[in-house]
Amino acid sequence: MDTESWKLFRSVCLLSFLLGSCFVYQSLHAGVAAQEEDTQPAVTLQVNASNGAGRLIPDTLFGIFFEEINHAGAGGLWAELVSNRGFEAGGQNTPSNIWPWSIVGDQSSIYVATDRSSCFERNKIALRMDVICDSNGCPSGGVGVYNPGYWGMNIEEGKKYKVAFYVRSTGDIDLSVSLTSSNGSMTLASEKIIGSATDVSKWTKKEVLLEAKGTDHGARLQLTTTKKGSLWIDQVSAMPVDTYKGHGFRKDLYQMMVDIKPRFIRFPGGCFVEGEWLSNAFRWKETVGPWEERPGHFGDVWKYWTDDGLGHFEFFQLAEDIGAAPIWVFNNGISHNDEVETASIMPFVQEALDGIEFARGDANSTWGSVRAAMGRQEPFELKYVAIGNEDCGKTYYRGNYIVFYDAIKKAYPDIKIISNCDGSSRPLDHPADYYDFHIYTSASSLFSMYHQFDGTSRKGPKAFVSEYAVTGKDAGTGSLLAALAEAAFLIGLEKNSDIVEMASYAPLFVNTNDRRWNPDAIVFNSSHLYGTPSFWVQRFFAESSGSTLLTSTLKGNSSSLVASAISWKNSSQDYIRIKAVNFGDSSVNLKVLVTGLDPNVMKVSGSKRTVLTSTNVMDENSFTQPEKVVPQESLLEIAEEDLTVVLPPHSFSSFDLLKESAKIRKPVSDSSSSYQKTSTV
């Protein structure tokens, strides 16, 4: 190659190298720029944490609503193991159906029927057993009856169970009281009750304490004998000794309620209060006094019998035990199908006044003395009552309501009264302290209802959102998608808590053997339970009631985001909690800027982050995977007040920032103060 050619070749190579380097540099720079752009926050949440800038959230904001639906009480929270313990479920005509009681033996050895021979005036049905065989001819295990409880009794080895029942006979008795396996083949615990004819010629109460020698989640209670003759039994109860404070509440279900930290409990319904017909409505006077004397009733809305062991007294006891304000909902003379005219409503008004006196009256008052006889001398706290449930559109509601309102305010001027009519979009045409707001809808609709109360007038009564949930195909039997929409809605209620003072999810419980409504917060059977994602969402708001709502503003593309900030304290620490729902299908970078704190006095540091999400928005929990969709906690680290986090798609996240006294620090340069700590979930 000659000199000129060499020079030309060298020049081309040099030019190519420079051009290539430039291209590589541009490519690398573009890649770095793109990467930096990807990690830049798309949305900023500005939080004003300065003193005096926040607004107190009502102490009562988040609570629970208990309704006797889905066997929530009978066969659920109320720990009674025997179903149809008084044989009344088949009706007052005899002979009647004794389901779920069944016969041990056959027609050649025993005859069983109901009659009206009970010693209890309000529940006259009793069970008569004519034992045809004797010790030589009866099966080895005897003959009699058994009760499987509510889809099986949960009997656990080493635990004790108190069995009580009433018996009478024309002769001597020799009864075996046993807890057995589901098919009766294995005895878990057993005791003999022997009595002479003179001992049991009249109705006599018998009690035994059984200690289980084995475990069976589907066990049953048996009453059997090999002694020929006729005997009657009635009011058969089997209760675990180990209930909460001995008050009769199933401990694991009770604990689930406690974990929500409810500030109020609304009870006992719901449609359960109304009934399809007034003849089957919940009437509180039939649910007080000794359990043996309670007649029970058929809840015709949800189609099952309740012995009303969980009655008026027990609901107030429950509220006190969990530290929640009781909100009593009573019938106002209206059911789903019949109504009492306003001119004739006074007996129902008096029944409501009597119910308040039962709770609040002196032990010497007419109905306070009934409470005292049940072992409670001092009154219960009762500050809220609701006149009916979802009855606003009924013909006589407004007329009836006014009569109730005037009578209650005259007798108890401090009691806050809740109307069934919605006042969120237009003023009520009658006096009230609160109005009830119910919403069941799709996930997208409830997410958009984050703004529901933004334009509500701040004058007049406060809002009580006593029933809310995502329902329909979005909900399944408790989906993540439903929970996320509910979380956004609750953040909206939190931000509007100057007008919304109370809110509760519905329904709370479902026995998986009798689903009358989908979805529900807590799912259980005789022995196991789990929380749906909607239950876990409520846990995120446990510290909100009584905290301080901080002014916060989202800036950026936030159409799929909802966020809020509160300031709350535990016994020794002061926190800022950020809650954010990402309802979209893409991750979002969220930068949180906390302003208003004097850097020389106070700073924030990371504490904890909690995220609820899953691989599919329709994921649910189950008995086989009870923690498939549950919050995941981890430590949160930040640089000074600057926090940037990645919100996963379809997620609900909370971030606790610890407020603490600032140490004397040297000023930081602009470059160091612009550093962002990115935390990826």
Side-chain angles (χ1 to χ4, degrees), residues 237-273:
S237 170
M239 287 282 281
V241 171
D242 187 22
T243 64
Y244 184 77
K245 288 187 176 181
H247 290 159
F249 306 119
R250 179 174 152 178
K251 291 180 75 173
D252 56 349
L253 294 178
Y254 176 89
Q255 187 60 49
M256 293 287 276
M257 293 191 300
V258 171
D259 290 344
I260 301 174
K261 298 181 181 180
R263 297 303 183 93
F264 67 83
I265 176 170
R266 176 181 179 239
F267 63 82
C271 296
F272 182 70
V273 170

Side-chain angles (χ1 to χ4, degrees), residues 21-317:
S21 298
C22 181
F23 174 77
V24 170
Y25 172 77
Q26 288 176 337
S27 299
L28 289 173
H29 180 74
V32 171
Q35 184 178 10
E36 289 179 352
E37 184 177 347
D38 286 344
T39 59
Q40 292 301 308
V43 180
T44 298
L45 180 69
Q46 288 190 313
V47 179
N48 183 355
S50 59
N51 290 332
R55 171 173 55 77
L56 286 177
I57 296 173
D59 284 335
T60 55
L61 185 55
F62 294 116
I64 55 177
F65 164 44
F66 183 98
E67 178 169 10
E68 183 59 86
I69 180 177
N70 306 318
H71 274 88
L77 180 65
W78 189 242
E80 173 63 64
L81 296 174
V82 177
S83 177
N84 188 20
R85 66 186 179 191
F87 307 99
E88 309 292 327
Q92 292 301 304
N93 294 320
T94 59
S96 60
N97 185 1
I98 62 172
W99 187 89
W101 291 91
S102 294
I103 297 172
V104 178
D106 57 36
Q107 61 184 5
S108 67
S109 58
I110 187 172
Y111 174 78
V112 173
T114 54
D115 64 23
R116 296 181 55 81
S117 63
S118 176
C119 60
F120 300 110
E121 288 302 318
R122 293 196 293 175
N123 42 21
K124 295 301 294 183
I125 305 299
L127 186 74
R128 174 174 175 163
M129 294 197 308
D130 293 323
V131 180
I132 301 169
C133 59
D134 56 23
S135 57
N136 294 322
C138 286
S140 59
V143 297
V145 291
Y146 73 86
N147 189 290
Y150 298 92
W151 302 280
M153 298 179 179
N154 181 36
I155 304 301
E156 298 180 277
E157 183 176 359
K159 292 193 175 181
K160 296 180 179 180
Y161 303 86
K162 180 181 178 181
V163 178
F165 62 96
Y166 287 75
V167 63
R168 75 177 180 91
S169 176
T170 57
D172 299 344
I173 63 168
D174 185 353
L175 271 176
S176 291
V177 181
S178 308
L179 294 170
T180 75
S181 58
S182 57
N183 61 5
S185 62
M186 180 182 298
T187 299
L188 306 174
S190 186
E191 291 286 346
K192 283 272 193 179
I193 291 184
I194 299 173
S196 66
T198 55
D199 292 337
V200 293
S201 61
K202 296 181 179 180
W203 282 105
T204 304
K205 186 176 183 179
K206 299 293 184 179
E207 294 182 348
V208 295
L209 189 64
L210 301 178
E211 182 174 345
K213 306 303 181 184
T215 295
D216 192 319
H217 301 314
R220 69 194 201 187
L221 173 71
Q222 289 189 171
L223 303 175
T224 56
T225 184
T226 58
K227 193 169 188 63
K228 190 173 183 178
S230 297
L231 57 86
W232 289 258
I233 59 175
D234 195 15
Q235 295 302 325
V236 185
S237 170
M239 287 282 281
V241 171
D242 187 22
T243 64
Y244 184 77
K245 288 187 176 181
H247 290 159
F249 306 119
R250 179 174 152 178
K251 291 180 75 173
D252 56 349
L253 294 178
Y254 176 89
Q255 187 60 49
M256 293 287 276
M257 293 191 300
V258 171
D259 290 344
I260 301 174
K261 298 181 181 180
R263 297 303 183 93
F264 67 83
I265 176 170
R266 176 181 179 239
F267 63 82
C271 296
F272 182 70
V273 170
E274 299 165 280
E276 287 290 340
W277 299 92
L278 284 172
S279 58
N280 289 319
F282 180 83
R283 307 300 287 271
W284 75 266
K285 289 183 180 180
E286 301 296 300
T287 74
V288 297
W291 61 268
E292 303 96 324
E293 298 177 8
R294 303 181 191 184
H297 80 287
F298 179 69
D300 59 356
V301 175
W302 306 122
K303 309 301 182 186
Y304 60 88
W305 175 265
T306 61
D307 290 311
D308 289 331
L310 180 57
H312 198 54
F313 177 92
E314 288 76 19
F315 278 119
F316 282 105
Q317 185 65 69

Side-chain angles (χ1 to χ4, degrees), residues 414-425:
D414 64 306
I415 284 185
K416 304 298 183 183
I417 297 178
I418 303 164
S419 167
N420 288 183
C421 299
D422 176 20
S424 63
S425 57

